Amino acid sequence: KIKILIYPPIRALKNYLDGKIHGYFPALDVRLPKPSNKTSNFYAKRDFIFFHKDNPKRGLADLEGQRVGLTFGYAYPKSLSSNKNIEKFFVSSDDQNVKKLELKRIDAFVVEEMSGLSAIKRTGVKDVTYNPKAVLHAHDVYFAFEKTDLGAKVTKKFTQVIESMKKDGTLKNILQPTKNYRFIK
């Protein structure tokens, strides 16, 4: 039997690192300083630069000297988080960032693809887009469990289910990107 608890991302990681919970997800290598049992990946987190349609951005160099929106609790690679030439503004939601972007209060917003597209849909902003061919960062996402015998057993069972879902298409259907968004070419 397992018990699933839902926490904000930073608290979930802290509870895991403090040994208060036995595993957590979504886990990414950029955020996991503790040796862990890892399932096979179930998703690839792909970050993109969302921008105002009047001011396109393609890569990390385009963010230097710019005001960039980020979301509290999300994992960002050091190439972004440690870059002193990028002015970073953190807010609590993707919706806030796309609204700020439409109003040109920030120059760009770095976000995982589906999260950014969902924020555009929820807020109804019209002038925010991204280039789906310009992936800024990509990270495998998996379940992390403690380095114990129990953690190893749970990891094995989760991996079997993930692989089965990959094979029969269930996982792809669950993670299918939303259609009908405005993409640039």
Side-chain angles (χ1 to χ4, degrees):
K1 291 184 176 183
I2 62 168
K3 183 177 180 181
I4 298 174
L5 306 170
I6 299 173
Y7 296 110
I10 293 173
R11 190 177 318 151
L13 179 60
K14 182 174 181 353
N15 286 345
Y16 177 69
L17 296 176
D18 291 347
K20 294 179 181 176
I21 57 177
H22 301 286
Y24 93 104
F25 78 98
L28 298 100
D29 287 339
V30 297
R31 183 174 258 175
L32 192 63
K34 171 181 175 176
S36 300
N37 287 303
K38 302 174 188 178
T39 65
S40 60
N41 72 312
F42 64 89
Y43 181 69
K45 178 184 181 287
R46 298 175 346 137
D47 291 333
F48 290 85
I49 302 170
F50 281 66
F51 49 83
H52 194 279
K53 68 178 184 178
D54 298 337
N55 190 11
K57 312 269 186 245
R58 293 194 62 83
L60 195 61
D62 292 338
L63 300 180
E64 292 190 355
Q66 302 289 298
R67 301 166 298 170
V68 177
L70 303 172
T71 305
F72 283 119
Y74 285 9
Y76 297 101
K78 288 190 188 290
S79 60
L80 174 64
S81 62
S82 298
N83 190 322
K84 295 183 188 309
N85 297 318
I86 298 172
E87 192 174 1
K88 297 166 224 42
F89 294 89
F90 284 88
V91 296
S92 60
S93 77
D94 298 334
D95 293 6
Q96 288 175 292
N97 270 317
V98 295
K99 288 177 185 177
K100 286 176 70 173
L101 189 52
E102 183 171 56
L103 296 171
K104 297 184 178 182
R105 292 180 53 214
I106 56 176
D107 302 304
F109 168 38
V110 175
V111 65
E112 188 276 329
E113 185 176 27
M114 286 198 279
S115 296
L117 293 173
S118 294
I120 289 171
K121 184 175 183 178
R122 279 191 305 274
T123 59
V125 299
K126 302 287 184 223
D127 295 327
V128 173
T129 191
Y130 80 114
N131 183 339
K133 295 180 181 174
V135 178
L136 187 62
H137 308 106
H139 311 276
D140 285 339
V141 181
Y142 50 85
F143 290 80
F145 294 99
E146 61 192 346
K147 273 283 204 201
T148 63
D149 288 343
L150 177 61
K153 287 178 187 175
V154 175
T155 299
K156 183 177 178 181
K157 287 184 180 187
F158 269 65
T159 294
Q160 288 170 343
V161 172
I162 290 167
E163 292 305 316
S164 172
M165 291 173 73
K166 284 179 182 178
K167 187 176 179 179
D168 72 13
T170 303
L171 193 59
K172 183 178 180 181
N173 288 338
I174 291 170
L175 300 174
Q176 187 67 32
T178 309
K179 304 283 187 233
N180 303 321
Y181 287 101
R182 301 171 314 280
F183 301 118
I184 66 164
K185 294 182 174 151

